[in-house]
Amino acid sequence: MRACILTTSFPAYEGHFQSPFIAELAKAMSKVADVTVICPRYKISRNSQENFGNVKVKRFTYFPKKFQTLTEGGGMAANMEKNILAYVQLPFFLLSMFFKLIREMKNYDVIFAQWALAGMVAVFAKFFFRKTVILTTRGADVNMSLKNPVFRKILVEVMRRCDHITSNNEDLIKKVNELGIKHTTVIRNGVDTDRFKPRNKTELRKKLGLPLDKKIITYIGWLIERKGVNYLIDAAPKITKEYPNIHFLLIGEGTMRQEIEKQIENLKIKEFFQLVGAKSPAEVPDWLCAADILVLPSLAEGFPNVVLEAMASGVSVIATNISGTPELLKDGVNGYLVEPKNSEQISVAVNKILEKPATAEKLGLNGRQMLFDKGLTWDKSAGNYIELSKSLKNHHKLPH
């Protein structure tokens, strides 16, 4: 099978931190199929064409590189919410992706479009080439489209014309079904339990220069509004009052970094915080496993991979009760769920874990075991995509 992954977000180069889960999926698919990724070229991309192992990566340029804002930083959805220039660049992006796909489309049997904008481009390309198009929505695209009646209508028309819609969580599939789209399937993300696993925290902290005698509370992700990092920071004064031996570690970059630094300074809690910037996928397992607690205070998510990775690492998790996260976390069993925008609940959950070391150990063990029980691996995820595409081809499924 010759498969194309058409995506609006992908690592700028091998080992980069932009959407590494798409790269993991592509590599897993490449074990059973001939896989090519078509994606944008970033300012820091090194090549227009390259290989990630057996995966061929072909990039397109959509705007003079030094002026690009649409795909840089925290991703398209975040940029479109913050920057009017991103909207100006959107038509150029879509046209560039379309012409790149048209030139390549005869080489593929199936197009796996990641996010709705890639799905729209793939649907238009189907007018010229009769190929199977499977659209995977991961949350931000649907949630953003539902806020705008025009975008909502476009989303529905795109999904109707795709051969199948997948998502990584049940909650998002339910939203898609409510739009009248019924040709849907849940295919969950995976995690590499060999890379992410419990290890000696003292050794890791020595390696990374982290404090050995403090409890470390970590956030990993983009520093953008929908990640809700400011609510974790708001919770910090109450946490440090109860447990002054705390070190907050923020890993990531984004448009809110200066705002976050100012918030920390205004709350007079700078001594408790360390912002280390973004880390490559190769570095993340060490930084994550060195932590005692991962907090993900997001306002919107799909099926958050950082939660999967923390669970695989045996790290206690606190995350917001949104979208696919409750499908991973069972409150009090393998983590704690808190409501979005609720700093009080974050501080209470942190205190629950810190006051009883046995609780943290139990949550970590239960979390890792759940991954094995559900078989959440990238090979299984890739296999499900390939089997779905074969099923559609065998049934000669036509566009909707």
Side-chain angles (χ1 to χ4, degrees):
M1 176 179 290
R2 301 170 304 166
C4 171
I5 296 178
L6 182 70
T7 179
T8 55
S9 184
F10 196 72
Y13 49 83
E14 190 162 19
H16 186 239
F17 56 81
Q18 180 86 26
S19 300
F21 54 92
I22 304 293
E24 292 288 344
L25 175 62
K27 288 177 180 178
M29 277 190 181
S30 73
K31 296 177 183 179
V32 292
D34 182 4
V35 177
T36 300
V37 173
I38 293 179
C39 60
R41 184 170 184 174
Y42 298 90
K43 291 179 182 178
I44 58 173
S45 294
R46 297 164 183 170
N47 300 293
S48 294
Q49 295 192 37
E50 57 193 311
N51 292 336
F52 283 24
N54 293 326
V55 177
K56 295 180 282 293
V57 181
K58 299 184 178 182
R59 303 181 186 276
F60 60 89
T61 301
Y62 63 92
F63 216 68
K65 280 208 309 183
K66 67 178 181 178
F67 298 115
Q68 283 185 178
T69 57
L70 180 59
T71 55
E72 305 298 318
M76 293 179 69
N79 288 330
M80 288 171 71
E81 289 172 355
K82 287 275 189 181
N83 192 329
I84 189 65
L85 186 56
Y87 272 100
V88 173
Q89 293 181 8
L90 181 60
F92 297 95
F93 178 90
L94 295 174
L95 283 171
S96 299
M97 177 181 268
F98 174 74
F99 287 121
K100 181 70 172 178
L101 180 60
I102 284 290
R103 289 195 296 270
E104 297 278 342
M105 202 159 179
K106 64 180 182 297
N107 299 321
Y108 313 122
D109 303 307
V110 56
I111 311 299
F112 293 101
Q114 305 297 309
W115 292 284
L117 284 175
M120 180 167 66
V121 171
V123 164
F124 274 107
K126 282 188 71 171
F127 288 127
F128 301 93
F129 296 90
R130 194 177 179 83
K131 304 289 183 178
T132 300
V133 173
I134 298 172
L135 166 61
T136 296
T137 175
R138 298 180 178 277
D141 50 354
V142 169
N143 292 328
M144 184 176 179
S145 297
L146 292 179
K147 296 175 183 177
N148 183 301
V150 176
F151 289 173
R152 179 190 179 107
K153 185 172 178 59
I154 293 171
L155 177 69
V156 170
E157 291 303 314
V158 167
M159 288 185 167
R160 283 185 58 242
R161 286 164 173 76
C162 290
D163 294 284
H164 209 81
I165 311 298
T166 76
S167 177
N168 52 26
N169 69 85
E170 299 280 358
D171 181 73
L172 197 53
I173 286 292
K174 182 180 177 182
K175 290 180 181 178
V176 171
N177 292 158
E178 288 171 352
L179 294 172
I181 308 299
K182 302 301 182 183
H183 49 294
T184 58
T185 300
V186 173
I187 299 180
R188 302 196 188 283
N189 291 356
V191 63
D192 187 338
T193 52
D194 291 325
R195 287 180 58 230
F196 293 95
K197 58 186 178 182
R199 286 180 289 155
N200 187 293
K201 292 187 186 298
T202 300
E203 292 179 4
L204 289 172
R205 292 181 183 187
K206 286 179 180 177
K207 174 184 174 181
L208 299 171
L210 295 172
L212 303 180
D213 58 344
K214 296 185 178 183
K215 294 294 183 180
I216 296 180
I217 299 173
T218 296
Y219 165 83
I220 301 178
W222 289 106
L223 303 182
I224 57 178
E225 188 174 353
R226 67 181 169 85
K227 290 293 184 178
V229 188
N230 49 311
Y231 295 100
L232 170 60
I233 296 167
D234 279 340
K238 187 166 185 179
I239 295 169
T240 55
K241 185 178 180 181
E242 293 286 330
Y243 295 94
N245 204 32
I246 287 288
H247 187 75
F248 289 92
L249 187 63
L250 304 185
I251 301 173
E253 287 291 353
T255 55
M256 284 186 66
R257 174 158 183 152
Q258 289 186 338
E259 183 180 327
I260 285 168
E261 289 175 338
K262 187 175 180 180
Q263 182 184 3
I264 291 169
E265 193 169 329
N266 288 342
L267 290 172
K268 296 181 172 53
I269 50 175
K270 195 172 180 179
E271 65 186 284
F272 297 101
F273 275 83
Q274 182 181 3
L275 281 73
V276 297
K279 298 298 174 183
S280 71
E283 297 172 299
V284 168
D286 285 354
W287 287 90
L288 181 51
C289 195
D292 295 289
I293 302 172
L294 174 86
V295 178
L296 185 66
S298 293
L299 312 183
E301 280 293 343
F303 195 70
N305 265 71
V306 70
V307 171
L308 286 170
E309 292 161 358
M311 291 165 65
S313 303
V315 174
S316 301
V317 179
I318 298 167
T320 39
N321 186 17
I322 55 170
S323 200
T325 305
E327 297 168 31
L328 279 171
L329 291 185
K330 303 303 175 189
D331 193 54
V333 176
N334 60 353
Y336 286 109
L337 292 168
V338 297
E339 293 307 309
K341 302 182 179 182
N342 196 317
S343 299
E344 174 68 22
Q345 288 188 11
I346 292 174
S347 63
V348 169
V350 168
N351 289 343
K352 280 182 182 178
I353 294 172
L354 294 180
E355 67 187 5
K356 292 182 180 179
T359 297
E361 184 177 359
K362 181 193 78 171
L363 295 176
L365 289 172
N366 290 347
R368 185 169 171 84
Q369 186 59 49
M370 189 275 269
L371 300 179
F372 289 109
D373 292 344
K374 290 185 175 291
L376 295 176
T377 68
W378 282 117
D379 285 345
K380 182 175 180 179
S381 182
N384 288 338
Y385 278 109
I386 297 298
E387 287 305 311
L388 173 61
S389 64
K390 287 179 179 177
S391 173
L392 293 173
K393 186 176 181 181
N394 291 339
H395 286 85
H396 307 286
K397 198 167 183 68
L398 297 174
H400 293 265

